[in-house]
Amino acid sequence: MNSTGEIFSELERLIDLSLTRKALVHVSSGHWMPALDIYETDDSVIVYAEVAGVRKNEIDVSFHEGFLTISGTRKEMCCNKPITLHRMEIDTGRFRRRIRIHIPIDKEKIEAECRNGILKVILPKEEVHG
């Protein structure tokens, strides 16, 4: 690669290849998976999920047998008219993430809020008596 143009062409090709692989995962599972960040504090585990474009009433959060499950649906954003699609990188349809939490959680105190396209789930740790 001799020129900057060749480098950018190769970079764009690699990005397109990674997006194609992402699409294959989506097609094989039937669901897309939102990106997550998971943090631990002294008293809780906090999970952030990127769910831009999803209404909070279309998100389901559950915790069962040590697994946090976040699921829902993101609807297509474009109009219903005939269109020509040039690029589609924003996943739509059903999504689901299931994460094992290896810390005892107080299920009765779990909180969730959705703001600016980010879902925040607070999983309070069980109090240790002893």
Side-chain angles (χ1 to χ4, degrees):
M1 285 187 227
N2 301 337
S3 73
T4 304
E6 289 176 350
I7 292 170
F8 282 116
S9 292
E10 180 64 10
L11 182 60
E12 186 174 47
R13 185 188 72 75
L14 291 172
I15 290 169
D16 285 343
L17 179 61
S18 71
L19 292 172
T20 302
R21 287 187 180 152
K22 179 181 168 190
L24 290 174
V25 169
H26 173 72
V27 168
S28 66
S29 70
H31 295 86
W32 61 275
M33 296 188 308
L36 299 179
D37 289 344
I38 303 172
Y39 301 91
E40 181 179 354
T41 66
D42 289 342
D43 57 356
S44 62
V45 174
I46 303 168
V47 178
Y48 293 95
E50 187 179 54
V51 292
V54 182
R55 293 185 179 114
K56 62 182 175 181
N57 63 342
E58 294 176 332
I59 300 171
D60 181 51
V61 177
S62 63
F63 189 82
H64 183 67
E65 295 184 4
F67 285 92
L68 172 66
T69 303
I70 300 169
S71 60
T73 303
R74 179 163 47 205
K75 296 180 179 160
E76 299 236 2
M77 291 171 252
C78 191
C79 50
N80 292 329
K81 300 181 211 177
I83 59 169
T84 301
L85 178 63
H86 290 273
R87 185 175 288 258
M88 185 173 186
E89 296 178 4
I90 300 172
D91 293 311
T92 57
R94 299 276 311 146
F95 66 87
R96 183 171 189 257
R97 286 300 300 260
R98 186 170 187 249
I99 317 127
R100 175 82 170 140
I101 305 294
H102 295 281
I103 298 165
I105 298 298
D106 185 343
K107 295 188 295 187
E108 303 302 317
K109 295 182 180 176
I110 294 174
E111 297 178 32
E113 65 180 47
C114 193
R115 205 179 288 161
N116 298 324
I118 301 293
L119 173 68
K120 178 181 181 182
V121 182
I122 302 170
L123 305 155
K125 294 178 183 179
E126 276 187 354
E127 291 183 28
V128 179
H129 301 284

